[in-house]
Amino acid sequence: RSDLPSKKRAKRSRTVIIDDDDDDYEGEDGPSAWLPSKKVERRRRVHTGSAGVELCNCLERVFKRMWNNSGSLAFQRPVTSREAPDYRQVIAHPMDLGTIRKRLRNGQYSSREPFLADVRLMISNAHQYNRDKPQNESLLVAADILWAECETG
């Protein structure tokens, strides 16, 4: 690599294994008899300059608790104009769990603070848009529960 000009060097990256289990393979007759289990191992590339593996794993655990929460369904994808025609007029910077997941998996969070800022923005948007809509009170309760999940992580 040292023979390449410094401007043309590719970023170094490593593979991070998420949900790594010891039972990914089955079989007792050695490596030739090992068969992959039904569970698929997910891999992603994390650039060396981005958040460390420890941070990625920690944020992934916090995110999974929020995503798997029963109240998270309304927050898992962006709000569409069909669901709320005036949403873009009220909310300047939309945020949802799907966008947070994409940023997390792309290694865009260099620390916990930007991750928390995006979660805070999502919760704040929910409160701002639904503040005068009593029929959506359960949505605000769900938003607060997601924030509590995030804070305890």
Side-chain angles (χ1 to χ4, degrees), residues 14-21 24-25 37-46 53 56-65 67-68 100-102 104-106:
R14 61 187 139 185
T15 301
V16 178
I17 299 173
I18 307 300
D19 291 330
D20 186 24
D21 290 329
D24 282 344
Y25 293 96
S37 67
K38 290 183 181 179
K39 182 175 181 175
V40 176
E41 185 179 86
R42 291 185 298 126
R43 293 178 181 260
R44 64 184 159 151
R45 305 292 284 178
V46 176
V53 174
C56 287
N57 290 337
C58 178
L59 293 179
E60 186 79 26
R61 282 191 301 272
V62 171
F63 177 81
K64 280 183 182 179
R65 278 205 315 268
W67 183 272
N68 293 329
I100 293 171
R101 178 176 59 183
K102 184 167 60 170
L104 183 61
R105 291 186 175 166
N106 288 335

Side-chain angles (χ1 to χ4, degrees), residues 56-116:
C56 287
N57 290 337
C58 178
L59 293 179
E60 186 79 26
R61 282 191 301 272
V62 171
F63 177 81
K64 280 183 182 179
R65 278 205 315 268
M66 291 186 338
W67 183 272
N68 293 329
N69 186 293
S70 60
S72 74
L73 189 59
F75 299 95
Q76 290 182 358
R77 58 183 175 68
V79 175
T80 65
S81 58
R82 179 174 283 174
E83 296 167 329
D86 62 338
Y87 189 77
R88 296 291 182 158
Q89 285 80 36
V90 177
I91 302 300
H93 303 287
M95 184 55 62
D96 61 279
L97 287 173
T99 302
I100 293 171
R101 178 176 59 183
K102 184 167 60 170
R103 289 180 178 180
L104 183 61
R105 291 186 175 166
N106 288 335
Q108 291 179 307
Y109 294 118
S110 58
S111 67
R112 187 173 182 203
E113 286 72 31
F115 174 81
L116 290 174

